[in-house]
């Protein structure tokens, strides 16, 4: 009597072992841990800071992104004096955002839209790959107050979405922060579509000195749409990121005078004394 031997099972790849192209455990493991702890304070990273309250992100700042004040003041939504007075009067109980809304100086919806735009823009840069570790300082919340808190998962998901979109448009992240140059006439290929009005406004400010964030501030716009416009212009061959300066050559070493008559006896004594320690 014979028994059929079942064929060997084909190897099955363990999906849990497949590396996640987005980084797996989140953009910032420290930020994920702080969210789990429901921490309150400030996370300082190389390209920006994140303000947390009870584990939620309530505010974000980066030198590469226009802030909430820039967006509110750019087109006359809010007067500069009104913003300054709200910041001066703000405390832990009454944030500047709440004071502005209660005074009828800005609509709640407009404040939330500008706040979320500024938060996600700054968060994109703050969560960029960094060469230095982040530092968290436990403390109180931001003086702006909790206008529209977002979870760490929401911020990381939006950051990854923006990275992927910008990479599809133009895969060179240097265009996000480097000074921008116009390409030489005739050197760029004819773009498939002509730049639209928004892109022409960006192109008009490209002067070899301004960066994409500088242009966003000058136009009173959010950072991310401006980054997208810049990368589209780069893909069309109309602008290019200015390459970083070459690293300077190291200074020549100091030439020591030649020793022609060393005190061999003294050197031997020093060696013997060191070995006896």
């Amino acid at each position: 009597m014979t028994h059929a031997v079942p064929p060997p099972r084909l190897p099955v790849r363990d999906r849990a072992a497949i590396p996640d192209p987005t980084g797996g455990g989140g953009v910032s493991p420290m930020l994920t841990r702080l969210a789990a702890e429901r921490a309150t304070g400030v996370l300082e990273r190389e390209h920006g800071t994140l303000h947390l309250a009870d584990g939620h992100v309530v505010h974000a700042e980066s030198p590469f992104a226009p802030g909430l004040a820039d967006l509110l003041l750019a087109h006359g939504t809010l007067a500069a004096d009104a913003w300054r007075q709200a910041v001066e009067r703000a405390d832990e109980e009454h944030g500047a955002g709440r004071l502005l809304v209660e005074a009828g100086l800005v609509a709640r919806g407009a404040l939330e839209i500008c706040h979320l735009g500024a938060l996600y823009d700054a968060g994109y840069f703050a969560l960029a790959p960094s060469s230095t570790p982040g530092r968290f300082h436990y403390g109180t919340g931001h003086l702006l107050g909790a206008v529209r808190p977002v979870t760490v998962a929401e911020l990381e998901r939006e950051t990854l979405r923006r990275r992927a979109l910008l990479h599809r448009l133009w895969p060179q992240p240097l265009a996000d922060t480097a000074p921008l140059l116009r390409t030489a006439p005739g050197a760029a290929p004819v773009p498939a579509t002509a730049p639209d009005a928004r892109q022409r406004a960006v192109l008009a400010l490209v002067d070899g000195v301004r960066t994409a964030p500088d242009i966003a501030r000058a136009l009173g716009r959010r950072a991310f749409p401006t980054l997208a416009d810049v990368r589209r212009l780069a893909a069309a061959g109309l602008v290019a990121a200015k390459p970083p300066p070459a690293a300077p050559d190291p200074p020549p070493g100091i030439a020591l005078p030649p020793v022609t008559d060393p005190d061999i006896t003294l050197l031997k004594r020093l060696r013997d004394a060191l070995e006896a320690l």
Side-chain angles (χ1 to χ4, degrees):
M1 184 175 181
T2 61
H3 298 279
V5 178
R9 297 181 62 185
L10 295 176
V12 178
R13 178 177 296 180
D14 183 5
R15 290 183 178 273
I18 301 175
D20 186 350
T22 64
V27 178
S28 170
M30 177 184 287
L31 187 58
T32 302
R33 176 177 59 80
L34 292 170
E37 294 179 3
R38 300 183 62 85
T40 297
V42 181
L43 175 60
E44 295 181 349
R45 289 174 59 90
E46 184 177 8
H47 303 298
T49 58
L50 301 174
H51 298 260
L52 277 67
D54 293 328
H56 285 66
V57 183
V58 296
H59 190 63
E61 298 168 341
S62 171
F64 299 108
L68 175 61
D70 296 318
L71 300 179
L72 289 175
L73 303 180
H75 304 291
T77 304
L78 185 69
D81 287 343
W83 172 262
R84 178 181 52 79
Q85 292 173 10
V87 172
E88 292 176 350
R89 293 172 51 205
D91 54 28
E92 294 184 22
E93 183 178 356
H94 298 85
R98 177 179 173 180
L99 293 174
L100 291 171
V101 172
E102 290 180 347
L105 297 174
V106 63
R108 177 78 186 185
L111 178 65
E112 288 190 359
I113 290 174
C114 290
H115 170 255
L116 287 176
L119 188 154
Y120 283 127
D121 281 350
Y124 168 79
F125 288 105
L127 294 178
S130 172
S131 59
T132 59
R135 295 182 300 173
F136 187 72
H137 304 277
Y138 290 90
T140 59
H142 194 271
L143 286 179
L144 177 65
V147 176
R148 178 64 170 81
V150 300
T151 66
V152 167
E154 289 172 335
L155 177 59
E156 292 190 337
R157 184 166 55 249
E158 177 63 16
T159 298
L160 292 174
R161 185 190 73 84
R162 294 182 177 205
R163 287 184 191 174
L165 174 60
L166 292 176
H167 184 80
R168 288 197 301 269
L169 294 177
W170 182 250
Q172 299 297 331
L174 186 62
D176 291 351
T177 56
L180 298 171
L181 301 165
R182 289 201 188 199
T183 56
V190 178
T193 58
D196 59 21
R198 287 183 56 89
Q199 294 167 5
R200 290 196 299 271
V202 171
L203 189 59
L205 295 181
V206 174
D207 58 0
V209 177
R210 292 188 179 98
T211 64
D214 293 334
I215 293 174
R217 286 191 180 90
L219 294 174
R221 297 178 182 175
R222 290 175 42 222
F224 178 69
T226 306
L227 298 183
D229 287 336
V230 166
R231 292 215 192 189
R232 288 189 175 98
L233 292 170
L238 299 177
V239 302
K242 188 175 181 179
D249 295 332
I254 301 175
L256 297 176
V259 179
T260 56
D261 187 17
D263 190 340
I264 301 299
T265 303
L266 177 59
L267 293 177
K268 287 183 178 181
R269 288 178 180 174
L270 290 173
R271 181 197 62 187
D272 295 340
L274 291 173
E275 291 177 349
L277 294 176

